[in-house]
Amino acid sequence: MAPQENLNPHSEAHLNGPLFQNALMTIKDAAKIINCDPNILERLERPRRCLTVSVPVRMDDQSVKVFTGYRVQYNSTLGPYKGGIRYHQNVDLAEVVGLAALMTFKNSVLGLPLGGAKGGICVDPTKLSRAENQSLTRRYASEIAPFVGPTKDIPAPDVGTNPQTMAWFMDTYSQEQGGYAQPGVVTGKPVEIGGSLGRNHATGLGVIYICEKAMEIKGMKMAGSRIVVQGFGNVGSFAAKFAHERGARIIAVSDVSGGYFNGDGLNITDMMEYVKQNKSLKDYSKAQMISNEQLLELECDALLPCALEGQIDTHNAEKIKAKMIIEGANGPITNAATKILDQRGVFIAPDVIANGGGVIVSYFEWVQDIMSFFWEEQDVDTKLKGVLLRAFDTVCKFQAEKKVDMRSAAMAVSIQRLEKAMLLRGLYPR
Ligand code: NAD
C-alpha cells in the first residue's frame, strides 16, 4: 500500500450536500457528548444504500420524458427502513441522503422500531396532469419495488406527494405481488385502503402536546397563553386549532400570502374554513396584515415555526421575543441561531421530537395494517401522546443532566440508542 493512499476519501458528491453536512456536524457534536464508539460513529456517518433509478413516463402529448428518482436507505439497525417520498424540482441524491439521515435519527430518538430512509423524484408535480403523475408514481414504485415492502422499507408522503400518491404506490406494489393487497408497503394512505384515523392532524397535534408539556416544565399554562404560528398548512393549521381548543390565544399566523395579526386572538376555525375554500389566507380580511419578519419577532409565549427551513438565523435570532420555540417544521432554526437563542434562555423543542407526531402515527398505521385491526381516532391520539411525551421526557432528562442544548440532547439520545443496538447486533460478517 502506498503511504499516502486514502482508504476512505468521502469525496462522493452526494455526501457533500449542505443538509447532510449540517446533520454530520450535529452527529459529531452529539457523539462527543456520549463518548460514542468511533467504529459506530464511522458507520453512522454514511448511508447504507443509495438507489438511483430512471423513470420514463409517457406524457399526455405522447412524448416520453425520463425523470430521475432516488431511494436512500440510511440505516436499518432498529427495524425496517421508513421515510417519505418527495416530488420537487430541487430533489437530488445529496438532498435525499440528508433527509434519510434525519429520518434515521428522528425514528431512533422517538423510540420507534424503525430505520431511516427517504426517496424522491426530481420533478415539479404542479406541472403534471393527474394521469402523468399516476404514471410517474407507478413506474417509480415499480423501479424501487425490489427494495421496499412491509418488512423492508415503508415509504410515506412528503413534500409534493399525498395520500393519492400512496394509493397508487400501494396498488402498483400489490399488482406486482400477484395482485394481493399489500397495505403495509406504504403509510399515509387514504383510510379506505388501510390508512389510519388521526394521521392527517397527527403532526400538528404532536406539536401542541410538546408545547403544553414545555409550558408545564417552565411553570406556564397553555390556557390564556399567546401563541404565534408561522405556516398555515397541514402542520401549522392543526397546531393552531389544537392550541385554540385548549384556550390559547393565537395572536398571529402566516402563510405564503403574508402574516395575519389580532392581539385578542384570531378565529382559527374561520381561518381554516377560509383556506379550504380559497387555498390560502390571501385577502383574509378579519385580521391586521403584518410581514413574515414582524410575525417572527412578536412578543409571545410560544412561537411555532411550521413552514420552511432556515427561518430563524443569525439575522433575527437576537430579535426573537418568544419564551419558547416549538419546531413544527424541519430545520426552521439554523445551528448558529440555536446557539444564540440558547444563550438568551429561549427554550427550543427540536424538530426531531416536536414534529415527530407524523411518523409516530405512520408507525401506528403500519402496525394496524399488519394486524388488520384498526383503532378509533381517540385511541390513536392517546397512543401518540404516550410515545411522544416519553421521548420528550427522556431528552429533557438528558439535557438537564448533561447541561447541553435540547438539539444536541435529542441527537445524543438518538445516537446512544443506535450505538447500543449496533453493538448488540455486531458487524457482519465479523
Ligand atoms: P404544507 O405545504 O401543508 O404547509 C406549508 C405552509 O407554509 C403553507 O401554509 C405555506 O403557505 C406556508 N409558507 C410557505 N412559505 C412561507 C413563508 N415564506 N412564510 C410563511 N409561510 C410560508 O406543509 P406541511 O406538511 O404543513 O409541512 C410544513 C413543515 O413541517 C415542513 O418543514 C415539513 O417538512 C414539516 N413536517 C411536516 C410533517 C407532516 O406530517 N405534514 C411532518 C413532519 C415535518
Side-chain angles (χ1 to χ4, degrees), residues 27-47:
I27 294 168
K28 280 180 197 298
D29 285 352
K32 273 188 214 139
I33 302 170
I34 58 161
N35 204 11
C36 179
D37 182 325
N39 294 335
I40 296 295
L41 181 59
E42 171 120 17
R43 289 168 66 193
L44 284 176
E45 286 175 347
R46 294 178 72 99

Side-chain angles (χ1 to χ4, degrees), residues 199 203 231-235 254-256 292 306-308 328-330 355:
R199 173 63 186 90
T203 309
F232 204 66
N234 176 273
V235 182
S254 65
D255 72 1
V256 74
N292 191 41
C306 300
L308 305 168
N330 281 317
N355 68 33

Side-chain angles (χ1 to χ4, degrees), residues 244-267:
H244 182 63
E245 284 174 6
R246 285 161 172 74
R249 255 187 303 155
I250 316 300
I251 60 168
V253 305
S254 65
D255 72 1
V256 74
S257 68
Y260 301 80
F261 173 81
N262 182 339
D264 294 330
L266 295 159
N267 184 339

Side-chain angles (χ1 to χ4, degrees), residues 178-303:
Y180 304 102
Q182 301 274 340
V185 68
V186 283
T187 59
K189 298 178 296 295
V191 170
E192 293 79 2
I193 55 168
S196 178
L197 293 171
R199 173 63 186 90
N200 199 30
H201 64 229
T203 309
L205 180 59
V207 167
I208 294 311
Y209 284 148
I210 295 292
C211 187
E212 245 180 338
K213 190 71 195 174
M215 285 183 167
E216 189 188 311
I217 292 169
K218 296 284 166 198
M220 296 155 63
K221 275 206 169 76
M222 171 134 326
S225 66
R226 291 159 311 152
I227 293 185
V228 170
V229 185
Q230 185 198 36
F232 204 66
N234 176 273
V235 182
S237 66
F238 279 112
K241 172 182 182 280
F242 290 119
H244 182 63
E245 284 174 6
R246 285 161 172 74
R249 255 187 303 155
I250 316 300
I251 60 168
V253 305
S254 65
D255 72 1
V256 74
S257 68
Y260 301 80
F261 173 81
N262 182 339
D264 294 330
L266 295 159
N267 184 339
I268 298 301
T269 319
D270 188 55
M271 294 181 103
M272 284 178 90
E273 198 50 44
Y274 186 89
V275 170
K276 226 183 239 171
Q277 279 164 23
N278 301 283
K279 296 247 185 317
S280 84
L281 287 167
K282 190 169 182 317
D283 297 330
Y284 184 77
S285 58
K286 299 178 203 162
Q288 182 191 332
M289 286 287 313
I290 55 171
S291 70
N292 191 41
E293 237 1 51
Q294 286 171 315
L295 174 128
L296 292 172
E297 294 165 15
L298 283 171
E299 201 162 322
C300 62
D301 295 301
L303 170 62

